[in-house]
Amino acid sequence: MTTDPALQIQNLTISYGEKEVVHDVSMKFPANQITALIGASGSGKSTVLRSLNRMNDDLATVDGQILFEGLNINQPDVNVYQVRQRIGMVFQQPTPFPLSIYENVIYGLRLAGEKDKRVLDQRVEESLKQAALWDEVKDQLKESAFALSGGQQQRLCIARTLAVRPEIILMDEPTSALDPLSTSQIEATMVDLKKDFTMIIVTHNMQQASRSADWTAYLDQGRLVEFDRTAQIFMNPQQQQTADYLSGKFG
Ligand SMILES: Nc1ncnc2c1ncn2[C@@H]1O[C@H](COP(=O)(O)OP(=O)(O)OP(=O)(O)O)[C@@H](O)[C@H]1O
Ligand SMILES: [Mg+2]
């Protein structure tokens, strides 16, 4: 690995009730890179992803360590609210709130108590620019977020996540509800965001993984089969299982 990990999981084992669905997974997510989690439906991708910012707290038992800046954030005394500010999440379906575009972007800042209008205005512009949405919405910031297209709504949700300035952004199939044009806009946005953020994405779209991700992890039935540079995984996988999965996906 050439870069420092922004986040590292060690011996992650996750169960829903009695059912263990993720088995002893360890990996490092390099800083300022995109890592894709791929694998068949039910292989545990979302379960792993949601654990990284403690979104599984009420649903699952998560054993093992999640190391973030030297701290194991998978401990009961860790402030989950702070974890989620620093490790943000974008969901599969665009989830704008029934508010204006402007209020959607600064939702997290308002929750954190920010009232200075200059700070809020500046953060709205910055975040919408980072999410490649500013030019399209700058004259309608006070209008409802529901007036936007699906692809615009998803970029708005990305802007909302960026506005609290996280270090890491988790995305679970961020484009699966979108058309090809919106998908390529989001992919371009993701690649652009790498300079400032570390991204971990779940995708079923192998072209998307090979186009945008620097690193790819292949999961099967809750086990990490292979993790390597994306080019290596797609061109020269070391595990037969990975090769079989990918040839099925592309073949
Ligand atoms: N809330 C839940 N309660 C119980 N079991 C769950 C829950 N969520 C997921 N599971 C189970 O955990 C396993 C992993 O599911 P997960 O959603 O992580 O897979 P996935 O790789 O994201 O699949 P997909 O590609 O379909 O989104 C599956 O067997 C699933 O049925
Ligand atoms: Mg999933």
Side-chain angles (χ1 to χ4, degrees):
M1 189 140 318
T2 52
T3 46
D4 289 335
L7 192 70
Q8 180 171 356
I9 54 182
Q10 275 178 350
N11 308 111
L12 209 65
T13 293
I14 308 176
S15 308
Y16 294 104
E18 296 291 296
K19 189 170 145 213
E20 189 178 300
V21 297
V22 171
H23 318 287
D24 198 26
V25 170
S26 300
M27 59 191 290
K28 294 175 179 173
F29 300 98
N32 296 99
Q33 304 256 279
I34 300 176
T35 300
L37 305 180
I38 64 168
S41 184
S43 58
K45 305 178 297 295
S46 298
T47 299
V48 168
L49 195 78
R50 284 199 305 263
S51 298
L52 298 180
N53 74 346
R54 302 278 302 265
M55 298 283 281
N56 272 338
D57 275 16
D58 301 329
L59 281 172
T61 310
V62 181
D63 290 315
Q65 297 203 313
I66 302 169
L67 298 170
F68 180 51
E69 299 187 343
L71 179 75
N72 176 17
I73 57 169
N74 189 33
Q75 297 187 101
D77 60 342
V78 166
N79 182 328
V80 174
Y81 179 72
Q82 279 176 5
V83 165
R84 290 182 194 154
Q85 275 197 333
R86 301 183 64 189
I87 307 178
M89 170 92 82
V90 175
F91 298 93
Q92 180 170 5
Q93 294 291 336
T95 52
F97 302 136
L99 297 167
S100 67
I101 293 168
Y102 185 97
E103 288 299 327
N104 263 276
V105 176
I106 57 163
Y107 193 84
L109 287 175
R110 285 226 191 271
L111 279 185
E114 182 60 62
K115 292 195 176 69
D116 186 333
K117 186 167 183 307
R118 273 174 318 170
V119 172
L120 296 172
D121 285 353
Q122 182 268 335
R123 201 67 71 85
V124 165
E125 181 169 346
E126 173 189 295
S127 306
L128 286 171
K129 281 181 173 164
Q130 284 177 316
L133 187 58
W134 174 250
D135 290 340
E136 288 160 66
V137 302
K138 62 179 189 292
D139 299 323
Q140 57 184 93
L141 295 176
K142 300 290 174 203
E143 288 171 29
S144 169
F146 291 146
L148 300 174
S149 72
Q152 289 174 324
Q153 288 184 4
Q154 190 64 313
R155 278 179 282 147
L156 178 66
C157 293
I158 292 173
R160 188 174 66 199
T161 300
L162 300 179
V164 294
R165 294 187 171 155
E167 278 110 292
I168 298 177
I169 304 167
L170 312 174
M171 298 190 182
D172 197 345
E173 302 190 49
T175 61
S176 65
L178 305 180
D179 64 88
L181 177 61
S182 303
T183 297
S184 64
Q185 284 170 331
I186 302 259
E187 281 179 21
T189 305
M190 291 190 310
V191 172
D192 218 37
L193 289 173
K194 275 200 302 192
K195 57 183 187 299
D196 299 313
F197 304 94
T198 299
M199 271 169 291
I200 306 170
I201 65 167
V202 168
T203 182
H204 275 284
N205 181 333
M206 294 302 111
Q207 279 78 14
Q208 177 163 82
S210 61
R211 277 191 301 254
S212 6
D214 303 284
W215 299 82
T216 295
Y218 170 54
L219 291 163
D220 182 59
Q221 297 183 50
R223 289 181 205 285
L224 179 62
V225 176
E226 190 164 351
F227 173 57
D228 211 325
R229 287 198 174 275
T230 297
Q232 181 79 14
I233 292 281
F234 282 91
M235 316 276 260
N236 187 22
Q238 300 302 295
Q239 302 294 327
Q240 187 59 40
Q241 217 183 330
T242 312
D244 291 346
Y245 178 72
L246 290 174
S247 67
K249 278 282 179 182
F250 279 116

